[in-house]
Amino acid sequence: MQNPFISFSIKVILLLVVAFGFHLGVLKFLNLPLFENKIIASYIINLTLVIVVFGVLYLLKDKYTSQLGFLFLIGSFLKFAVFFIVFYPFYKEDGEITKLEFAAFFAPYVLGLILETVSLSKWLNKLS
């Protein structure tokens, strides 16, 4: 049986690489700038955070089984904190957050969150 952390990491990397390509394809189709709004940093940082949070939860699953939900919420808080520290000041420089800026951060965030939630629920159900 393959390690759930390795399996998850491969899945999230593939998902976000495909999503990044699709995201760029949509931007190109709409004749919009491809590499603005910190899109590369957004995908890399979201990917890293999702893998780290999942990895920490995976490592703590035996010792803190009953607290994993709270730890998951702390991981989500960490992701939002990174948004407000790294991306928000850049996005608000002109006084507003555009749809392109919003999509640059939240597309990889939401995809990672969905995969993380589904994967965590699967192996948490196995622990019960």
Side-chain angles (χ1 to χ4, degrees):
M1 182 173 153
Q2 190 175 17
N3 181 320
F5 175 72
I6 293 171
S7 175
F8 173 80
S9 297
I10 292 168
K11 286 177 190 174
V12 75
I13 289 168
L14 289 174
L15 175 67
L16 289 183
V17 165
V18 169
F20 182 69
F22 182 77
H23 197 150
L24 291 180
V26 169
L27 292 174
K28 184 170 177 65
F29 177 78
L30 297 173
N31 293 318
L32 296 169
L34 298 181
F35 298 105
E36 291 187 6
N37 306 313
K38 294 193 174 209
I39 192 170
I40 295 172
S42 176
Y43 274 85
I44 291 171
I45 289 171
N46 273 296
L47 172 67
T48 303
L49 288 171
V50 168
I51 290 173
V52 167
V53 168
F54 187 90
V56 167
L57 292 174
Y58 184 73
L59 290 174
L60 299 176
K61 74 179 178 351
D62 295 325
K63 189 172 182 180
Y64 297 102
T65 303
S66 61
Q67 292 89 11
L68 285 177
F70 293 111
L71 295 172
F72 177 77
L73 290 175
I74 291 169
S76 295
F77 174 76
L78 171 69
K79 293 176 204 172
F80 270 107
V82 167
F83 168 76
F84 282 107
I85 292 167
V86 176
F87 295 96
Y88 187 78
F90 172 77
Y91 291 161
K92 285 296 277 184
E93 280 179 348
D94 60 358
E96 69 174 316
I97 297 179
T98 66
K99 291 177 184 177
L100 293 176
E101 291 167 334
F102 180 82
F105 180 82
F106 282 100
Y109 172 82
V110 167
L111 291 171
L113 181 63
I114 290 169
L115 184 60
E116 184 178 34
T117 303
V118 169
S119 297
L120 285 170
S121 68
K122 282 182 182 178
W123 60 259
L124 282 175
N125 284 332
K126 290 178 184 176
L127 293 176
S128 302

